[in-house]
Amino acid sequence: MEKMNWATLINDKRFGLEDYHDPKKNRTRTDFRRDYDRLVFSSPFRRLQNKTQVFPLPGSIFVHNRLTHSMEVACVGKSMADNIALALRQKYAVDGRAPEHFDHIGDIVAAACLAHDLGNPPFGHSGEKAIGTFFSEGAGLRLRGSFTEAQWFDLTRFEGNANAFRLLTHQFKGRRKGGFAMTYSTLASIVKYPFESSLSTKGKFGFFTSEKDDYVRVAEELGIKRLSDDNEPLRYARHPLVYIVEAADDICYEVMDIEDAHKLKILATPTVIELFLNFFEPEKREHMCRVMDHVDDPNEKIAYLRSCVVGALVEQCARTFIGNEDAILAGTFDGPLIKHMRPLECEAYRQCNEISWRKIYRSAEVVDIELAGNRIITFLLEHLVEAILNPELNYSRLLLAKFPDQYDVAAPTQFGRIQAVLDHVSAMTDVYALDLYRKLNGMSLPAV
């Protein structure tokens, strides 16, 4: 069976700067490390500090936001990637030496983990849903006849992962070619769903119509296996490092959400202790209980258990990746790494997921932020889309003046102009979106 090749999958060519690529350059700081640093110092990354992860922001008790979540995912992802790279070096070593491209896996995964949520709108996943339903159920439905079927799927199934790929690759007004000019390997490693929106399941896909050719360019350069025929909707296999980024994200959101719920007293200490101890064999559980006996603070007990769980899941996911490397390279591996762990960890993770959906994601605090976020985003879209469609009106001119210059409100196509609205709204922080909502409603006025 034809398999992808690590030698081509790890490529430091920069998107948009291909003419300047020099594979023989010798730098102490690799291009993959430069990807990581470039993201840390970027405005979209900083804005994540004021975007909801799960629980409302801000609050009297600190909980995770998109920024802290992304940083933790990067830490977990790099640890997992380093474990996997070590095993791959040993597997592919010849005369005691391994191909040097395995040295870069940790930096690529860390950068991709930082970038994986950059395209998410404010107010958590409810923000994504609000944008999609604005077009499928709300005022945007009247625009159905203005777009191709593929464009309509992009709008009604708006997806933060696809939006992240757009944010990193699109040449916004006044900006350089290639967007962030990231390396090909880092870009491919954030695309969890490498297919177009017409093939989406549960609203998940990897790239908008406007960035379809860009993804094809990246995939073909890296030798990512194409799974669709020429006359079918575009679908590729995942870049192997996507599985590591996804696993790190799965670990962090599940384990950290439970820890946050404990701090907010949504979940009781005995409940969380039992959930986390379920990941371990009896002998290990007994040792962990003895350690906790030396600590009185419930939050410290949970923090200790959380670190143990994360370590165990990192080890299990790394083993799963190595054990299924051939299937991953062949594009036949099915599902996330988390679902292919040992039965003990799989069952413990399932129990955490079940209680999260029952007690956390449907809690009053979370539902309230979803309701408010839906209302705010829907209101903003109604007004901003109307301004884009009727720019000659006085109110429209005032609203359009609020757009940052990088968003092309005068794009030559209506789809391009609607995308400018979505670019603007999805980039907003929770606080900015709420503030703009209040101002447009006349509930807040500038100081005089």
Side-chain angles (χ1 to χ4, degrees):
M1 183 178 294
E2 181 184 357
K3 296 193 297 184
M4 294 178 278
N5 188 331
W6 284 112
T8 57
L9 289 166
I10 308 300
N11 187 330
D12 64 359
K13 184 179 290 187
R14 290 197 170 279
F15 187 80
L17 299 179
E18 291 84 356
D19 292 342
Y20 301 95
H21 182 242
D22 179 8
K24 297 181 180 179
K25 61 182 176 293
N26 184 18
R27 291 176 176 159
T28 56
R29 189 165 64 110
T30 68
D31 278 301
F32 303 119
R33 181 68 201 188
R34 289 158 69 91
D35 281 348
Y36 183 93
D37 296 345
R38 186 170 296 181
L39 288 163
V40 167
F41 285 92
S42 70
S43 296
F45 184 70
R46 287 196 300 274
R47 285 197 294 268
L48 293 178
Q49 70 183 306
N50 212 312
K51 287 194 175 187
T52 297
Q53 173 65 16
V54 173
F55 297 105
L57 302 173
S60 57
I61 299 176
F62 182 81
V63 294
H64 288 83
N65 53 44
R66 288 281 177 189
L67 182 72
T68 52
H69 168 72
S70 297
M71 293 171 65
E72 289 173 348
V73 173
C75 289
V76 171
K78 190 174 190 312
S79 294
M80 192 186 306
D82 287 343
N83 289 350
I84 290 169
L86 177 61
L88 291 175
R89 288 190 199 100
Q90 295 170 347
K91 178 178 179 179
Y92 289 94
V94 177
D95 297 329
R97 297 184 61 187
E100 64 180 19
H101 45 252
F102 294 130
D103 297 342
H104 304 304
I105 288 178
D107 284 339
I108 296 170
V109 168
C113 288
L114 285 188
H116 83 284
D117 270 352
L118 284 185
N120 283 60
F123 305 111
H125 290 296
S126 63
E128 289 177 286
K129 191 67 175 176
I131 292 174
T133 55
F134 171 80
F135 294 100
S136 64
E137 303 173 6
L141 183 58
R142 62 190 174 94
L143 302 175
R144 172 65 184 92
S146 303
F147 306 111
T148 67
E149 183 177 45
Q151 291 171 340
W152 189 244
F153 279 135
D154 285 355
L155 297 176
T156 56
R157 303 176 182 184
F158 181 87
E159 216 286 317
N161 193 239
N163 200 44
F165 186 78
R166 172 176 170 81
L167 176 65
L168 293 173
T169 58
H170 182 68
Q171 184 178 9
F172 291 97
K173 281 181 59 181
R175 304 300 176 91
R176 68 180 169 188
K177 183 180 179 182
F180 273 57
M182 306 294 281
T183 62
Y184 277 43
S185 293
T186 297
L187 286 174
S189 297
I190 72 162
V191 182
K192 293 169 64 175
Y193 317 102
F195 44 82
E196 53 188 299
S197 56
S198 62
L199 297 176
S200 67
T201 56
K202 298 182 180 180
K204 301 297 184 182
F205 61 97
F207 43 83
F208 297 124
T209 304
S210 49
E211 284 71 53
K212 178 178 177 179
D213 291 342
D214 294 335
Y215 183 77
V216 170
R217 191 193 336 167
V218 170
E220 294 300 319
E221 175 72 24
L222 298 178
I224 298 177
K225 190 173 182 178
R226 182 166 177 166
L227 302 179
S228 59
D229 294 330
D230 291 340
N231 60 341
E232 297 176 335
L234 193 65
R235 179 191 291 273
Y236 280 87
R238 285 176 160 187
H239 189 290
L241 300 188
V242 170
Y243 288 99
I244 307 176
V245 176
E246 178 184 51
D249 188 28
D250 288 344
I251 291 170
C252 287
Y253 81 69
E254 187 62 70
V255 177
M256 308 310 176
D257 286 354
I258 288 176
E259 185 178 17
D260 281 348
H262 174 261
K263 289 181 180 178
L264 293 170
K265 303 189 185 308
I266 294 173
L267 294 178
T269 300
T271 299
V272 177
I273 288 176
E274 186 60 28
L275 282 172
F276 284 172
L277 286 176
N278 285 339
F279 285 91
F280 304 96
E281 301 285 358
E283 184 176 346
K284 177 66 173 177
R285 288 171 61 122
E286 291 176 8
H287 169 75
M288 294 167 69
C289 288
R290 288 196 297 271
V291 171
M292 284 190 292
D293 286 341
H294 297 285
V295 180
D296 293 326
D297 186 344
N299 287 329
E300 284 300 304
K301 292 177 185 284
I302 300 305
Y304 163 70
L305 291 176
R306 177 256 300 152
S307 67
C308 294
V309 171
V310 170
L313 292 177
V314 165
E315 180 181 351
Q316 278 300 307
C317 286
R319 288 182 177 179
T320 301
F321 185 98
I322 294 300
N324 293 276
E325 185 209 359
D326 287 342
I328 289 172
L329 290 175
T332 59
F333 186 73
D334 183 37
L337 296 177
I338 285 284
K339 289 190 176 180
H340 293 266
M341 299 184 298
R342 296 185 309 179
L344 175 69
E345 288 83 1
C346 277
E347 175 57 20
Y349 188 88
R350 187 200 65 77
Q351 291 178 16
C352 287
N353 189 255
E354 188 275 332
I355 202 166
S356 293
W357 280 106
R358 185 161 47 88
K359 294 289 188 70
I360 299 176
Y361 306 138
R362 293 296 90 194
S363 68
E365 295 91 338
V366 174
V367 173
D368 285 346
I369 200 69
E370 289 185 358
L371 288 170
N374 189 289
R375 177 65 188 128
I376 291 168
I377 289 179
T378 300
F379 177 88
L380 294 179
L381 287 175
E382 288 172 352
H383 286 257
L384 297 176
V385 167
E386 188 64 26
I388 285 286
L389 298 177
N390 300 286
E392 73 284 354
L393 300 179
N394 180 58
Y395 185 65
S396 297
R397 287 197 296 271
L398 292 172
L399 272 184
L400 294 177
K402 298 285 292 181
F403 275 71
D405 292 339
Q406 71 192 69
Y407 303 131
D408 192 2
V409 297
T413 66
Q414 183 158 294
F415 184 66
R417 295 191 291 275
I418 294 296
Q419 279 193 303
V421 173
L422 300 187
D423 290 333
H424 183 29
V425 171
S426 63
M428 294 178 182
T429 64
D430 293 15
V431 170
Y432 181 88
L434 175 59
D435 182 59
L436 184 58
Y437 170 80
R438 286 171 171 167
K439 287 176 178 175
L440 295 184
N441 267 309
M443 298 162 60
S444 175
L445 293 173
V448 179

